Amino acid sequence: MTDQPWQWDEKTWRGHVEHVRAGRPLRPASWPGGAKVAVALSFDSDHETPALRDGDVLPGKMAQGEYGARVGVPRILKLLRQHNAPASFFMPAVSALLHDGEVKSYVDDGHEVALHGWIHERNTALTETEERDLALRAADVLERLAGTRPVGIRTPSWDFSAHTLAITRELGLKYDSSLMADDDCYELVENGEPTGVVELPVEWIRDDAPYFMMDRFASLRPYTPPRGVLSIWRDEFDAAYADGGIFQLTMHPHIIGHRSRIAILAELLDHISGHDGVWFATHAQIVDHVLREQS
């Protein structure tokens, strides 16, 4: 019979805590061009894949996901062009295969395409072999469609298994963007060993899904008005600007792409662009900069 957590000895509970840990901070002394803040916009182009992963394949769920590709992505790309803001698009391989030309549209506009699983799988439900196989297959698909191999990963649902970091290292990726131990970049440590993998941290506060998701058969409802979310995100940016750090945002085309929600992103980008010394950059560009500053 497995011991309960309150029965663990120190070696056991300490081992769980220290398996994957935040290592040295990688906050640079300055941003390119003397910028005061780095703005890292990101979009998880999940589309139909979360429903497909769950076997929920009836037309209603498929249509909800299709909205992201059909309507959300064009709106997002138009808005990013208006602000000359490169962004990172984390895309499940199945999404990329379903929506012909979408990856190319990102690349053509100067955005980054990065890993986000095969079919938005839950890594903690997989064996190590299954997780590795799906990650390798996904990397191959995105490389073929984007013309360059991805250098970063965001695990689907930020579901980081006991094997994810080892697989990330095996793939030779520069960075992960799934964990939450800081506001700024840091190096990931695995079992006490510095890995060289950079974490560009996320947070549920800076994600559109917790505020706006809806499921008619569950208790999941959007409770925060869009302008309430705008207020939160604006405060997050203002604090990052004052601090000289990173403002990172995670969004989804099928969520933020709706009219009343893309409106708040437009207002937020107007607010950000109204400040001097803003560096809009992809996650990969930020990671490259912090690594150069450390060398």
Side-chain angles (χ1 to χ4, degrees):
M1 182 176 179
T2 304
D3 287 345
Q4 297 296 324
W6 61 84
Q7 297 172 310
W8 289 344
D9 59 19
E10 181 174 350
K11 180 180 179 182
T12 300
W13 53 254
R14 192 175 291 279
H16 288 302
V17 171
E18 295 181 350
H19 176 203
V20 176
R21 205 70 169 155
R24 61 183 174 131
L26 297 174
R27 181 166 180 164
S30 62
W31 296 113
K36 299 178 181 178
V37 67
V39 174
L41 303 175
S42 66
F43 300 87
D44 294 357
S45 300
D46 301 336
H47 305 332
E48 298 91 345
T49 57
L52 286 172
R53 172 204 63 209
D54 294 337
D56 191 354
V57 296
L58 292 176
K61 281 290 187 180
M62 295 300 98
Q64 187 178 12
E66 186 181 12
Y67 185 94
R70 183 181 177 90
V71 181
V73 167
R75 283 179 175 162
I76 289 164
L77 291 178
K78 180 181 178 181
L79 184 59
L80 294 175
R81 285 187 213 110
Q82 291 171 355
H83 289 271
N84 193 27
S88 296
F89 287 83
F90 295 87
M91 195 169 195
V94 169
S95 284
L97 292 168
L98 279 170
H99 299 285
D100 187 47
E102 187 170 321
V103 167
K104 186 175 185 300
S105 74
Y106 298 150
V107 174
D108 287 349
D109 273 15
H111 304 301
E112 175 192 8
V113 178
L115 285 167
H116 197 47
W118 175 259
I119 196 168
H120 212 273
E121 60 274 8
R122 291 189 174 95
N123 285 342
T124 52
L126 304 175
T127 67
E128 181 178 6
T129 298
E130 289 168 336
E131 184 179 352
R132 177 184 292 106
D133 175 63
L134 293 177
L136 289 168
R137 287 163 57 192
D140 289 344
V141 166
L142 293 188
E143 180 179 20
R144 174 168 59 82
L145 296 177
T148 57
R149 197 159 181 85
V151 299
I153 185 171
R154 173 172 294 153
T155 58
S157 305
W158 303 343
D159 193 21
F160 204 98
S161 82
H163 313 294
T164 298
L165 183 51
I167 293 168
T168 297
R169 298 174 71 182
E170 184 180 329
L171 284 167
L173 299 174
K174 290 182 181 179
Y175 78 88
D176 172 76
S177 186
S178 315
L179 303 176
M180 310 180 189
D182 206 320
D183 295 315
D184 296 298
C185 290
Y186 57 90
E187 182 177 14
L188 289 175
V189 172
E190 187 169 27
N191 297 320
E193 175 195 359
T195 65
V197 178
V198 176
E199 182 63 34
L200 204 169
V202 292
E203 227 302 322
W204 293 114
I205 296 168
R206 301 187 310 274
D207 186 309
D208 60 357
Y211 302 110
F212 295 139
M213 285 187 72
M214 163 76 184
D215 188 330
R216 62 182 175 146
F217 295 122
S219 60
L220 190 62
R221 296 289 187 277
Y223 292 110
T224 309
R227 274 178 171 68
V229 178
L230 171 61
S231 177
I232 294 168
W233 288 352
R234 189 170 50 216
D235 288 347
E236 285 280 328
F237 167 76
D238 289 347
Y241 186 83
D243 197 37
I246 297 171
F247 173 66
Q248 189 277 342
L249 202 59
T250 302
M251 294 161 286
H252 303 75
H254 72 286
I255 297 175
I256 201 68
H258 289 274
R259 292 165 176 156
S260 61
R261 297 166 182 179
I262 201 76
I264 69 161
L265 179 57
E267 284 194 38
L268 178 67
L269 293 183
D270 285 342
H271 175 74
I272 291 171
S273 297
H275 289 68
D276 293 328
V278 172
W279 181 43
F280 286 104
T282 68
H283 285 44
Q285 288 170 334
I286 290 173
V287 168
D288 283 344
H289 178 73
V290 301
L291 288 174
R292 281 194 300 271
E293 288 283 302
Q294 299 298 316
S295 62

